[in-house]
Amino acid sequence: MALAELRELKAQIQELLDKGFICPSASPCGSLVLVVNKNDGSMRMCVDYRHADIPKTTFRTRYGHYEFLVMSFGLINAPVALMSLMNGVFKPFLDSFVIVFIDDILVYSKSEEEHANHLRICFVCSWEANAIC
């Protein structure tokens, strides 16, 4: 990277750390980081990953190894991929008592007892989907 890109990378990493979006990582995995110019002349940090590496959002730089604590909208298709996965997991229950929007899953019910049952169903579906992945 050029000196200007390294300065920008360091500043963006510090900003993400300050906001609590990333933390230092000890993961053995890590994607490459690119700094690209935006149309307005500013620079943007992009985490390079391959389709098989979508769950591995950690990234390495000369300034350290970090992992995202929140969904990074800088990752291409990450929100869409997550919504697609969650819609697949909860497909039998969509519009009955579950709504999925990006990284939010809304479970709604008519009573506390029904809600407890709906949550159990959702947790079991999530657990089973995680075991398959």
Side-chain angles (χ1 to χ4, degrees):
M1 287 188 191
L3 188 56
E5 292 172 334
L6 290 172
R7 280 191 204 120
E8 184 64 27
L9 176 63
K10 191 172 185 178
Q12 288 190 25
I13 288 172
Q14 190 59 54
E15 181 181 350
L16 291 168
L17 282 166
D18 292 345
K19 288 181 177 179
F21 290 175
I22 63 172
C23 69
S25 176
S27 172
C29 305
S31 297
L32 299 175
V33 174
L34 306 172
V35 177
V36 297
N37 292 321
K38 293 170 41 176
N39 289 340
D40 66 2
S42 63
M43 293 184 204
R44 175 184 181 155
M45 181 180 80
C46 298
V47 178
D48 185 22
Y49 70 97
R50 302 296 177 259
H51 182 70
D53 297 328
I54 290 172
K56 304 171 195 159
T57 63
T58 59
F59 60 96
R60 289 187 186 278
T61 70
R62 70 179 345 173
Y63 306 112
H65 188 56
Y66 301 94
E67 60 188 45
F68 281 94
L69 299 173
V70 297
M71 178 183 287
S72 167
F73 284 87
L75 294 175
I76 300 168
N77 294 330
V80 174
L82 179 64
M83 271 188 73
S84 178
L85 175 66
M86 291 296 97
N87 280 325
V89 168
F90 296 112
K91 186 176 183 175
F93 314 111
L94 290 176
D95 302 325
S96 291
F97 60 87
V98 174
I99 296 174
V100 175
F101 182 72
I102 304 181
D103 61 345
D104 292 322
I105 301 167
L106 174 66
V107 179
Y108 56 94
S109 313
K110 293 180 181 176
S111 68
E112 242 181 273
E113 184 178 308
E114 186 179 58
H115 193 65
N117 187 45
H118 288 161
L119 289 176
R120 270 194 282 294
I121 291 168
C122 290
F123 288 137
V124 167
C125 286
S126 299
W127 180 262
E128 290 173 353
N130 190 40
I132 292 168
C133 293

